[in-house]
Amino acid sequence: MALSGCATFDQSWKVDTSITKKNLDNVKIGDIIITSKDWRNPMSWFGHSAVMVSKYKVGEYPELSYGYYETDIILWLRKKKEFTVLRYKKFNDKFRSAFLKNLPDTKHKEYKIVDKTDNSAFYCSQYIWYLYWKTAKDLGYSLDVDKDGGYFVTPYDLLNSNYFDKVEF
């Protein structure tokens, strides 16, 4: 039952990496990449998430002992088999500007499972949740992109959130 917060990966959300590599211009700053679950690795039972932090860079908290890491999108995609790209429905120029201002304060933290509003450390999906939550807060409104609004946020909570649209390729 511990995995009940993680929805089944909907086949229609999967993107073939070769298609994405040909269409990198479709991916924008702030887009969220959710990978499929990997049952062989307990740390990947909930999938993984990363966020576009520049035109061709992915920012993420990949695993314990790594902390924050940025990777070129092409190199990052070579390691992934199936994933989905999501875009916040209200990601306009004003949101983008505030989002980019929040990025420096979320780097150089340790990877640790913490309450989603705790910015002393991050894990993959909480890092993304926090960026969106803080950006909206800075703009004067409340935003919880976590589908179930719980204490923790999983990649699939982001995947199933009503605040995002699937990026078509």
Side-chain angles (χ1 to χ4, degrees), residues 9 13-15 20 23-24 26-28 30-35 50 52 73 76-77 82-88 159 164-169:
F9 199 69
W13 288 77
K14 294 180 183 180
V15 174
T20 304
N23 296 296
L24 283 176
N26 289 345
V27 181
K28 298 180 180 180
D31 284 357
I32 300 167
I33 304 170
I34 308 288
T35 63
M52 294 300 297
I73 184 66
W76 195 85
L77 289 175
E82 300 169 328
F83 60 90
T84 298
V85 179
L86 304 174
R87 182 168 296 144
Y88 178 50
L159 178 69
F164 300 109
D165 287 325
K166 176 183 161 191
V167 176
E168 298 291 335
F169 291 95

Side-chain angles (χ1 to χ4, degrees), residues 2 21 31 42 48 62 74 76 88 101 108 121 131:
K21 289 174 190 172
D31 284 357
H48 180 63
I74 293 172
W76 195 85
Y88 178 50
K101 286 179 185 174
H108 313 294
L131 280 172

